[in-house]
Amino acid sequence: MEHIRAKKRVAVVGAGTSGLAACKHLLARGFRPVVFEAGDSVGGLWTRTLASTRLQSHAAAYRYSDFPWPDTADAFPRHDQVVDYLAAYARRFGVDECVTFRSTVVAAEYVGAGPEDAADRWERWAGNGEAFGDGTGVWRLTVRQHGVGGETESTTQVHEFDFLILCIGRFSGVPNIPATSPGPEAFRGKVLHSMDLSNMADEDAAALVKGKRVAVVGASKTAFEIAAECSQANGAGLPCTMVCRNPQWLLHSPDVWGKVSIAYLYMNRFAELMVPRPGAGVVSRLLATLLAPLAWAISAVTGAYYRKAIPMREHGMEPGHGFARCVSSCLISMLPDGFYDRVKEGSVVFQRSRSSLSFCQDGLVLDKQRVVPADVVILATGFRGDQKLRSMFASPRVKDIIAGAPGTAAPLYRECVHPRVAQMAVVGYAEGLNNIYSTEMAAKWVARLLDGAFRLPGVRRMEESCAEWGRYYARRSGGGGVGQSAWRPCLGAVNLWYNDELCRDMGCEPRRKKGLLAEWFQPYGAVDYADIQ
């Protein structure tokens, strides 16, 4: 068996948090994957962030299950500390030896023995429910190798692999640019997306906003971080204007009343009883209905605490949806330190756009009447993760079936494999309140699938499961406002249930705590699954 694993060619695209985990667990099972990374180092998005970016979660929670942070790390580590942690993980488990840097996969094409529409006739995934199918199909990857520092010309090579794992994430690559009329061409200043700002050297990004009237469009964590940096550069003399339509919950602390972590309210088994978990059946829906008043009360009390602790209402930034909705939509974030102090001093001002946004010569026009003067407009409007995934494939047919319905994400079984795309997995596409926690579990599941530890169910059963999870996302994981996507694949409120399903597939015990009270009321995290390799 060891010889067979070594002969199977496995490609991993991306060396961020999910790509590193995928490679590590494949190595642990005897495979020797090749990791293609477009950048110069491991770390993914963490290598391309704003200077002030910090980890949103406490270091004790944001970690791989079997690799703790060093004692020198901050409680909420800086982005450079996160990069160092990921690089140390790669070295510790030999992942760095598998990575080919400055290598962009520009096209992926499945080449099999049968016609392209053979997947329509499958009863089991890849024909037999096994990771490598019948062994006749391969993924052909076109890889562009970039020269160091642009000093040498890039070269293009074609490689073939028996299995493909995409770890490209959803928050990079293809920026989401809102449609406006008139558009940026009407503006005499500079317009850029937050991705472009993050890709700049810190000193260049600082120079871009220094002494400028800056308008930041968006209400996400990134928008607040950009506004905070602009306010530090220019102060109240040239305040940064934040333009947003749908305010989100950004918190000053993960603890409610200064003592109780929200993990105890939303990340344990008892909390998940209040959610109609996809695939759990009638009993789950009945329990969720009976416990709905308690779920409403917890959301209301938690939301009331943060409304009192943070002056969001005073500045017109109170979210239009309850706190529980932000958990189930993965829209919970942390405020930059002292952010509302900057608002109070006048170095950050808010402008709400109720319906429309457009450009004029001097800045932005809100709701066809109010003008926001600006020299620089930064669009912190997110990314098109669905388009990024779709663009990986050469075949128009694969593009169509992988994309899903308009406004949604790819329908992936266990958020990892498409029922009708053979010998391929996606890791890190679904969001969680703690992404490294959810992606590592998916990486373990995929590694065991490749190792033959279990077979996938029939295609119809997988499609039924995808549809059920899609209905859950549509009900619980919408963006929470006008103009946002229909739903997003967010595991926030059901991450533990998701892990239970992965454990059952892998033949592992889902219940990981010692003692009944701990099992039901203590929060779960990555460390609880450390013995699953």
Side-chain angles (χ1 to χ4, degrees):
M1 180 65 75
E2 188 75 25
H3 178 66
I4 294 175
R5 293 191 199 105
K7 289 183 65 175
K8 290 296 184 183
R9 301 162 299 176
V10 181
V12 178
V13 181
T17 54
S18 55
L20 297 181
C23 183
K24 183 262 187 184
H25 288 284
L26 288 169
L27 285 170
R29 296 202 156 259
F31 294 97
R32 185 71 182 177
V34 176
V35 183
F36 294 107
E37 166 56 42
D40 296 315
S41 61
V42 302
L45 282 179
W46 287 105
T47 65
R48 304 181 298 278
T49 64
L50 301 171
S52 62
T53 299
R54 283 183 174 268
L55 194 59
Q56 294 288 289
S57 305
H58 194 283
Y62 190 92
R63 52 163 289 184
Y64 292 110
S65 60
D66 56 356
F67 193 71
W69 284 82
D71 294 337
T72 55
D74 296 344
F76 292 86
R78 302 184 311 271
H79 67 90
D80 58 307
Q81 291 177 316
V82 178
V83 172
D84 290 343
Y85 172 76
L86 297 175
Y89 176 84
R91 289 192 301 270
R92 168 66 180 81
F93 296 107
V95 173
D96 54 349
E97 299 175 7
C98 300
V99 183
T100 302
F101 294 108
R102 297 182 297 279
S103 299
T104 301
V105 177
V106 295
E109 182 179 14
Y110 182 74
V111 182
E116 193 176 46
D117 62 357
D120 293 338
R121 300 190 294 274
W122 283 347
E123 292 185 6
R124 301 190 70 90
W125 189 67
N128 58 11
E130 298 180 1
F132 298 101
D134 62 5
T136 61
V138 296
W139 279 97
R140 187 172 293 161
L141 304 185
T142 303
V143 181
R144 181 177 298 130
Q145 183 81 30
H146 308 282
V148 178
E151 296 177 0
T152 58
E153 293 184 3
S154 62
T155 59
T156 301
Q157 296 180 327
V158 176
H159 306 269
E160 290 189 348
F161 294 93
D162 301 298
F163 200 94
L164 171 64
I165 304 176
L166 297 179
C167 301
I168 57 177
R170 299 182 59 237
F171 303 106
S172 65
V174 182
N176 178 43
I177 306 296
T180 57
S181 181
E185 69 281 354
F187 178 48
R188 61 185 175 187
K190 185 174 182 61
V191 181
L192 69 161
H193 190 269
S194 59
M195 178 182 73
D196 304 312
L197 188 70
S198 297
N199 287 338
M200 290 182 179
D202 291 344
E203 57 273 18
D204 293 336
L208 175 70
V209 302
K210 182 68 175 177
K212 308 286 199 325
R213 298 173 299 174
V214 181
V216 180
V217 179
S220 65
K221 162 185 171 289
T222 300
F224 277 76
E225 288 177 340
I226 294 172
E229 290 202 4
C230 292
S231 71
Q232 287 181 322
N234 297 323
L238 283 173
C240 176
T241 302
M242 283 191 68
V243 177
C244 69
R245 180 181 298 181
N246 300 300
Q248 305 297 339
W249 289 92
L250 274 87
L251 316 180
H252 69 302
S253 168
D255 298 328
V256 186
W257 310 291
K259 297 179 180 179
V260 181
S261 169
I262 59 174
Y264 280 91
L265 303 177
Y266 292 100
M267 296 181 69
N268 58 30
R269 289 198 182 277
F270 183 73
E272 288 200 359
L273 290 179
M274 305 180 210
V275 181
R277 295 159 292 166
V282 176
V283 175
S284 172
R285 292 194 294 272
L286 178 60
L287 274 173
T289 300
L290 293 174
L291 293 172
L294 178 59
W296 178 87
I298 291 173
S299 178
V301 171
T302 306
Y305 166 77
Y306 284 117
R307 287 187 183 95
K308 183 177 180 181
I310 304 169
M312 56 183 81
R313 180 178 295 172
E314 175 185 341
H315 297 286
M317 290 297 287
E318 182 179 10
H321 52 282
F323 192 80
R325 180 61 174 261
C326 88
V327 173
S328 62
S329 298
C330 294
L331 293 173
I332 185 171
S333 300
M334 302 299 294
L335 284 164
D337 291 341
F339 183 83
Y340 275 96
D341 292 336
R342 298 188 181 105
V343 176
K344 185 177 180 180
E345 73 185 17
S347 58
V348 176
V349 297
F350 295 112
Q351 289 281 359
R352 293 287 298 276
S353 172
R354 301 293 179 183
S355 59
S356 66
L357 172 75
S358 60
F359 286 85
C360 66
Q361 199 174 48
D362 296 320
L364 294 169
V365 181
L366 310 184
D367 305 325
K368 300 181 180 180
Q369 51 186 0
R370 290 176 291 140
V371 175
V372 176
D375 303 306
V376 178
V377 174
I378 302 172
L379 303 174
T381 47
F383 295 85
R384 289 292 309 277
D386 55 340
Q387 183 61 37
K388 181 180 179 181
L389 180 62
R390 188 176 185 271
S391 65
M392 290 290 301
F393 302 101
S395 165
R397 174 180 170 77
V398 176
K399 287 178 184 288
D400 290 342
I401 65 176
I402 199 72
T408 66
L412 301 174
Y413 178 70
R414 300 292 194 251
E415 301 306 330
C416 289
V417 298
H418 193 287
R420 296 194 182 275
V421 180
Q423 297 164 234
M424 186 198 78
V426 182
V427 176
Y429 191 69
E431 296 176 63
L433 295 179
N434 182 334
N435 284 333
I436 203 170
Y437 164 46
S438 55
T439 58
E440 187 188 24
M441 281 298 292
K444 294 178 179 184
W445 185 88
V446 170
R448 290 200 174 205
L449 172 65
L450 268 65
D451 198 26
F454 61 92
R455 296 176 70 195
L456 295 176
V459 168
R460 182 172 297 180
R461 175 67 193 97
M462 288 199 292
E463 290 179 334
E464 289 172 352
S465 176
C466 290
E468 193 160 8
W469 278 82
R471 288 191 292 270
Y472 164 79
Y473 292 139
R475 291 191 307 268
R476 309 282 300 194
S477 299
V482 177
Q484 298 195 7
S485 60
W487 56 262
R488 51 203 284 138
C490 166
L491 302 170
V494 290
N495 210 146
L496 183 50
W497 171 247
Y498 171 73
N499 287 347
D500 287 351
E501 291 198 319
L502 299 186
C503 284
R504 283 189 285 268
D505 290 344
M506 294 186 288
C508 303
E509 172 57 50
R511 297 179 182 271
R512 318 293 299 177
K513 300 287 190 182
K514 294 182 179 180
L516 188 63
L517 287 177
E519 182 61 50
W520 281 98
F521 296 102
Q522 279 190 3
Y524 261 76
V527 176
D528 293 301
Y529 302 92
D531 64 335
I532 300 177
Q533 296 295 329

